[in-house]
Amino acid sequence: MTSESDRNIHSPLAYSMEVSSPAHFHQFFLRLSDGPNAKGLCMVRNNDQDKIDSRKKISGEPAAHSPVLANEILSLVNVHLSGELTKTYVDGTLGLAGHAGALLTELPNFTLIGLDKDAQSIPIAIDRLKNLGVYDRCTIYNDSFDNFDLYVGEKESTGVDFFLLDLGFSSYQIEDQMRGFSYRLNSKLDMRMNSQQGISAYEVVNRFNLMDLSNILKVYGDEKFSRKIAQAICDNRPIETTFELNQVIKTAIPAATRRTGGHPSQRTFQAIRIYVNSEFEQLYNALNKGLRYVAIGGLIAVLTYHSGEDRLVKNIFDLAVKGKCKCPDTIQCACGAEKLFEFPLARKGLRPSQNELIENPRARSAHLRVIKRTSHDNANDLNEIYESITRALPIGRYVYRLQHSSIDITQQALRKVD
């Protein structure tokens, strides 16, 4: 087994560049190293590992972190992945290591490949895993979960036993006033998970034209007042802060609607965040790769929190389970087609219990969907499933391309999907 001193935190750019971070970013990370030359943790070279491993306890770490449906996920894994053989577990949204800590503590034969593109959460996750005594079975990367295939290495042939994606945001992230995720805290508009990459919410709000803004709010936020809100945004530029954006949204939504339902800014903030972080593109790509990499008997589990991402997961899982079957969806399969995947739970998945919602009200919208690989295949069978997904569910159905924008931003910055 690899010793703790040999473990590494990786980034695809780790060997080519250093991080240039805003002041608050450096202040957060300078506390993590004993040496005077501490570096931003999201880009770490091999010879800096001793500094990372010797860091002090992080001040300001959340006192408690309740992973959603943790008991149900652990029970699922125990039932379907029992045995003494070493199992590979990929957590594509490591976050604060709530799920990872619970699983690794109870399952000593599991090893973790953890990814998270939020560099600020990684040191907190490492501290939690070390305190639980399981960090020696972990390898952690600062990258997006749809790039997991870059890191599984030799597992490409044997397969990964358990994939987990928790698409929610932790309270720690939402309540970080410097990042602009929350409509309840006044801060500069940003909303990027990785503040060093891509465009920010400020650029979307202040530079995108009316048609693009309206369609982003509609596609990613299911906002029925998308056109009115987009028009109000265009009429009130520049908009610098989350509270300024709140006020603009409020003026665009009819008073009768504001008096019912949730916060009037909720869907707009959700839509901009999803666009800024390319969340649907990454989810689509990760699930399609996961179907190829999951081992026989292995599981792919996804926790979603709003209707858009849940529809995407549901549709991909449905097509994977259907496979080569030509029978109508309304009847039981009678054509004899071999199934490569099945639903280990009910097709509709699981939702948090009432007891969990009392303890963690933010889990109220959570929805767990799981798929299991059931049999061997030849390459043609799996390719056919993959092709059926791309035909029936083209990424364009879930991603709005900025076809109408006249703003001068590079194609790479906009991260268009070809």
Side-chain angles (χ1 to χ4, degrees):
M1 181 176 291
T2 308
S3 66
E4 180 170 305
S5 62
D6 292 330
R7 310 309 297 176
N8 212 342
I9 306 165
H10 307 268
S11 166
L13 304 180
Y15 303 102
S16 60
M17 65 179 290
E18 301 267 334
V19 173
S20 174
S21 305
H24 71 273
F25 188 82
H26 278 301
Q27 290 169 5
F28 181 86
F29 284 113
L30 285 174
R31 295 198 299 270
L32 306 185
S33 175
D34 296 328
N37 299 317
K39 297 176 174 63
L41 191 56
C42 66
M43 303 295 178
V44 182
R45 300 171 189 261
N46 281 337
N47 57 12
D48 293 324
Q49 185 61 39
D50 291 340
K51 295 177 183 176
I52 297 168
D53 286 343
S54 64
R55 71 192 182 287
K56 298 180 175 68
K57 179 71 174 177
I58 301 172
S59 62
E61 177 181 345
H65 174 58
S66 301
V68 177
L69 287 167
N71 291 333
E72 289 81 356
I73 291 172
L74 180 59
S75 176
L76 179 77
V77 171
N78 270 321
V79 169
H80 294 276
L81 294 171
S82 60
E84 298 181 357
L85 295 177
T86 299
K87 305 288 186 182
T88 302
Y89 155 39
V90 173
D91 193 326
T93 49
L94 182 64
L96 304 184
H99 288 107
L103 287 168
L104 293 174
T105 300
E106 296 295 326
L107 304 168
N109 60 325
F110 272 54
T111 61
L112 170 70
I113 298 173
L115 296 92
D116 206 296
K117 64 179 178 180
D118 179 7
Q120 297 190 27
S121 69
I122 287 177
I124 300 176
I126 292 174
D127 265 3
R128 178 164 280 120
L129 294 170
K130 283 188 173 182
N131 290 338
L132 292 172
V134 298
Y135 184 60
D136 61 321
R137 291 184 274 136
C138 304
T139 308
I140 297 173
Y141 300 91
N142 175 212
D143 204 350
S144 171
F145 57 74
D146 62 328
N147 289 328
F148 76 86
D149 55 315
L150 300 177
Y151 309 111
V152 296
E154 71 279 1
K155 300 301 178 185
E156 182 174 2
S157 59
T158 58
V160 173
D161 298 289
F162 183 48
F163 285 97
L164 178 63
L165 298 177
D166 181 351
L167 303 178
F169 276 59
S170 69
S171 301
Y172 166 77
Q173 292 168 319
I174 295 171
E175 294 166 4
D176 184 349
Q177 194 165 354
M178 303 302 295
R179 306 179 73 176
F181 283 127
S182 176
Y183 45 78
R184 301 186 187 279
L185 299 172
N186 194 24
S187 58
K188 291 184 178 181
L189 290 169
D190 192 314
M191 301 193 194
R192 289 174 293 179
M193 290 292 291
N194 186 333
S195 62
Q196 308 305 307
Q197 295 179 0
I199 60 175
S200 68
Y202 176 87
E203 292 170 287
V204 174
V205 168
N206 289 287
R207 299 179 66 185
F208 282 27
N209 65 29
L210 174 62
M211 183 174 291
D212 286 331
L213 270 175
S214 176
N215 282 313
I216 286 172
L217 300 186
K218 183 177 181 180
V219 171
Y220 294 130
D222 293 328
E223 176 56 73
K224 63 180 179 180
F225 299 108
S226 59
R227 180 79 178 188
K228 290 184 177 181
I229 294 171
Q231 184 66 65
I233 289 172
C234 291
D235 291 343
N236 288 275
R237 290 169 171 167
I239 299 171
E240 303 278 347
T241 69
T242 54
F243 277 13
E244 288 177 12
L245 181 56
N246 274 343
Q247 188 59 37
V248 170
I249 295 169
K250 182 179 178 180
T251 63
I253 296 178
T257 302
R258 294 200 307 268
R259 288 193 291 269
T260 60
H263 195 284
S265 296
Q266 181 175 349
R267 293 182 182 274
T268 296
F269 272 64
Q270 170 190 301
I272 295 172
R273 189 206 75 221
I274 289 172
Y275 175 78
V276 163
N277 292 290
S278 300
E279 292 179 26
F280 281 9
E281 296 97 315
Q282 291 170 5
L283 178 58
Y284 181 92
N285 292 332
L287 292 179
N288 280 308
K289 290 178 181 179
L291 297 177
R292 294 181 179 274
Y293 276 83
V294 66
I296 306 302
L299 303 171
I300 303 175
V302 185
L303 274 164
T304 65
Y305 293 84
H306 61 78
S307 59
E309 62 191 13
D310 187 61
R311 279 196 302 269
L312 176 52
V313 175
K314 173 185 178 296
N315 290 338
I316 288 180
F317 281 6
D318 282 349
L319 285 169
V321 169
K322 184 175 180 63
K324 299 177 67 176
C325 175
K326 306 302 181 184
C327 301
D329 294 337
T330 55
I331 66 171
Q332 187 174 356
C333 176
C335 68
E338 183 180 12
K339 300 276 189 176
L340 301 186
F341 298 92
E342 69 178 16
F343 294 112
L345 303 173
R347 177 174 172 268
K348 64 182 180 181
L350 284 178
R351 291 189 178 275
S353 66
Q354 198 60 41
N355 288 338
E356 180 168 0
L357 293 179
I358 293 172
E359 296 178 2
N360 184 12
R362 285 180 171 171
R364 64 187 180 277
S365 60
H367 195 168
L368 175 66
R369 294 187 183 273
V370 187
I371 195 173
K372 180 179 181 179
R373 179 77 172 272
T374 56
S375 68
H376 291 275
D377 67 285
N378 59 55
N380 290 334
D381 289 340
L382 196 53
N383 285 338
E384 190 168 325
I385 290 177
Y386 182 77
E387 289 169 4
S388 72
I389 290 172
T390 54
R391 283 196 307 269
L393 307 173
I395 187 63
R397 179 183 295 188
Y398 301 95
V399 176
Y400 177 66
R401 296 180 174 88
L402 298 182
Q403 298 170 336
H404 310 284
S405 181
S406 57
I407 57 178
D408 182 22
I409 298 180
T410 64
Q411 184 176 16
Q412 180 180 6
L414 289 175
R415 299 195 304 281
K416 289 184 181 179
V417 178
D418 294 324

